[in-house]
Amino acid sequence: MMFRSAQAVRKQRYTRRDYQAFLYLLPWLAGILVLQLYPFISSLVYSFHDYTVGGKMDFIGLDNYVKLFTRDRDFWNSLKITFEFALYTVPGKIVLALAVAIFLNRNIRGINAIRTAYYIPSLFGGSIAIALLWRLMFMDNGIINSMLATIGVTNVHFLGTRGVALRVVCALEIWQFGSSMVMFLAALKNVPRSLYEAAEIDGAGWWNRFFHITLPQISPILFFTLLNQTIQEFQNYTSPAIITGGGPRKSTYVMGMFLYQEGFSYFHMGYASAISWVEFIAILVLTLIIFGTSKLWVHYGDE
Amino acid sequence: MKKLLSAALILAMLCTVFAGMALAEENVTLRFRWWGGDERNEATIKVIEQFEELNPGVTIEYEPGSADGYHDKLATELAGGTAPDIVQIDPETFPTYVANGDYFFNLDDFEIDMSAFEEGYIHQQINGYYDGRQLGLPTGIAGPAIVVNKALAEQLGVDLHIDNMQWDDIIELGKAVRAAGDDDTYLFCANKDYVAILFVMSYAKQLTDGVVFPDGKLALTEEQLTEIYEFVKALFDNECVPSIEYMAAYTGDNIQSDANWLAGKYVAALAYISTVDVMVANGPEGAEYYAGSLPVKEGATDGGWASNTPQVLAITKTCEHPEIAAAFLNYFFTNETAMETLGATRSVPPTAKAREICAANGKLTQLVTDAADIAVAISGTPNDKIFSTAECKNILYDAVEAIAYGDMTPAEAAADTIAQLKELEQ
């Protein structure tokens, strides 16, 4: 009897108002279907085809993937570079953002102006202009080398030395720590003062308070930032493409560049789709790992 | 009487025939289509008007348009027999048209003064020459160039305008520059991209009779490529070009912003005819330049320097008065007033005379004119379909970089490159 009445209720679920709601949702729905779901699925289909832009599509099964894993000399290198890139930038950005947020989390005159100043680099985002500026700063006769020359260090090839070039590119990403900083600042403000006061009475020092109060309290935001930044840095393209063009000797040739070159320089769309799917799965696995470990270190207030 | 009457009738008939012919001449209408910007359109229309004034009775209807969809439309019209009489065509598309039908007149059959052109230049397929028939005429020239800083070259005692220049000459000149100049002074402003495209690719074509991938198969051998890469290694080892580390900040075609070029530290720069003026504008103020020679290996059957035209002009087979269309082309290419009017609106003009006129009236710098003269004189087959792909170029960039960084010997790099190039075969 209960079951029946539930069914009766379900039958009447869509009223005129509901349909209106669907109508309002339609633009979003159409957007996600056309701009997200369709390319998502078609890229999977392309990845099993030999498909050159403007040419015909030949089904080749897993050939693109087999070539990628076994014969492509750039794939493993760019996968390694991408991991390395994320390994420098994600922790670098988080540590710097947190340090600056802690520094700015105080009530002094003009604090808002200072906070804005630290946030400005993030406004430039992944812009080409800022990447160009970075290249100009770090080139052999750039401002950084001029400054180093005044302390007796000469001729550092920042962009032309393997190992160094990647760090230069990472530095640009780390420099744009503003958005993470703002989130940390908001989280820090929400940590109850009483916890610190109680700890102080118990004689806890600054580091103790930081590790036992601050970090656990802001861990949800830390988790979110870690996840977000990892995904973002794995997909980075602009900075290495503009600053180093993937060089020297492909030492900054991240997956984003590899994908772009195959797809848009060589027009191997099928192959590029396969690369993007491998990259997608790599990011997915990494995300799941971060999610999995979160139980151990993320503390929510309502737990 | 009968005889007189018939003679009169014949005379009358002849009169009508002649009158009819004259009338036909008075009413010839031709259609000329091209694509281009305002400047080109204005200059071309002016030349049409000049021709019409000199040839009363001839009307040339002009159809200037945009490059978008131009060739698709033209292909349909050629197939349907409704194409204009005179057409401008992209030289890369022209072969498809030629292969698909007998659409164009052989211009050698008409009175066009072909001596205005360099024979070696117009007798290249890319410039309109197909199986012994001149089906089109090149409107301009594009190709490599070497821009030499005159004062610095003289100061260091090097001359880059050598007759019959060989690849090894470059190395010797480079050594001389390093010996005589200061620390930042090098022979060439060039990055790995320029070394690969201008040096490696040209050298390769000189070794393979102009075509690296004839019929889609690689003709370049590992030994030949090793020879080229030995030259590349010598370029870097002898510091004929700045270090690869230094040039890392100037990738792609960005060498004009090299601070050392701006400061006048290089004796010369690798460039294209189209970028000569840009290089000069970015060089030190007031510096004088001349166009340097391009090396061609002794015994090479092909100059290897890819110089070609941005467009060709052709007369379609559906033209009812091809002799008048040809007269127009003759005027267009060889009349001094026309040359002056057209200036450099279709890039650097294809004839030496037109370049001279453009240089005299300031429409072209003398440097560009000289660079074009050198490129035309040496000439060479343009890169084939495979050799010109981004993929092929990237393989060469990587190899040049590997050699410059000392990661690979020329022989190792050659073996590696050949293996990769073989994968591009069709």
Side-chain angles (χ1 to χ4, degrees), chain A residues 115-189:
Chain A
R115 281 177 197 156
T116 310
Y118 276 98
Y119 185 70
I120 284 175
S122 297
L123 291 176
F124 299 118
S127 90
I128 291 186
I130 212 76
L132 278 173
L133 184 74
W134 214 254
R135 188 173 77 194
L136 285 175
M137 278 167 59
F138 283 95
M139 59 193 211
D140 280 19
N141 22 31
I143 191 162
I144 303 285
N145 263 319
S146 308
M147 276 155 60
L148 286 175
T150 59
I151 57 163
V153 182
T154 53
N155 233 353
V156 186
H157 303 297
F158 286 105
L159 303 178
T161 312
R162 279 165 286 188
V164 180
L166 185 66
R167 286 171 177 80
V168 170
V169 179
C170 292
L172 170 61
E173 291 300 314
I174 296 172
W175 179 63
Q176 298 183 320
F177 61 83
S179 56
S180 307
M181 180 200 76
V182 169
M183 308 244 309
F184 284 138
L185 204 53
L188 287 172
K189 292 220 170 284

Side-chain angles (χ1 to χ4, degrees), chain A residues 73 160 162 248-249 261 266, chain B residues 246 394 398 401 405 407 416:
Chain A
R73 57 172 74 201
R162 279 165 286 188
R249 298 288 287 126
Q261 189 155 53
Y266 305 162
Chain B
Y246 173 83
N394 273 324
D398 289 348
E401 206 183 19
Y405 272 103
D407 292 349
D416 186 50

Side-chain angles (χ1 to χ4, degrees), chain A residues 32-75:
Chain A
I32 204 159
L33 287 178
V34 175
L35 300 174
Q36 305 236 327
L37 202 65
Y38 171 73
F40 189 73
I41 291 170
S42 55
S43 77
L44 183 65
V45 175
Y46 289 160
S47 77
F48 298 112
H49 288 80
D50 180 7
Y51 172 46
T52 307
V53 177
K56 61 181 190 329
M57 260 168 77
D58 292 320
F59 182 76
I60 51 165
L62 287 170
D63 277 12
N64 281 331
Y65 292 94
V66 172
K67 183 186 171 196
L68 196 59
F69 285 110
T70 59
R71 296 203 308 276
D72 197 306
R73 57 172 74 201
D74 288 330
F75 171 68

Side-chain angles (χ1 to χ4, degrees), chain B residues 11 14 36 38 48 82 89 112 123 145 149 151 179 181-182 205 209 237 240 254 258 274 305 314 317 363 393:
Chain B
L11 199 71
L14 279 173
D38 291 345
I48 290 174
T82 55
I89 303 172
I112 298 176
H123 279 182
N149 181 331
D182 68 26
K205 285 192 292 177
D209 298 332
D237 284 355
C240 304
N254 186 31
D258 179 350
S274 57
W305 297 97
K317 275 274 166 85
K363 282 179 181 161
K393 284 175 185 162

Side-chain angles (χ1 to χ4, degrees), chain B residues 201-232:
Chain B
M201 292 179 90
S202 303
Y203 201 155
K205 285 192 292 177
Q206 290 174 8
L207 295 179
T208 54
D209 298 332
V211 191
V212 176
F213 285 92
D215 305 319
K217 297 280 173 271
L218 183 67
L220 191 69
T221 65
E222 202 174 310
E223 290 71 40
Q224 288 170 329
L225 192 55
T226 307
E227 175 188 329
I228 299 170
Y229 285 168
E230 294 280 4
F231 165 76
V232 171

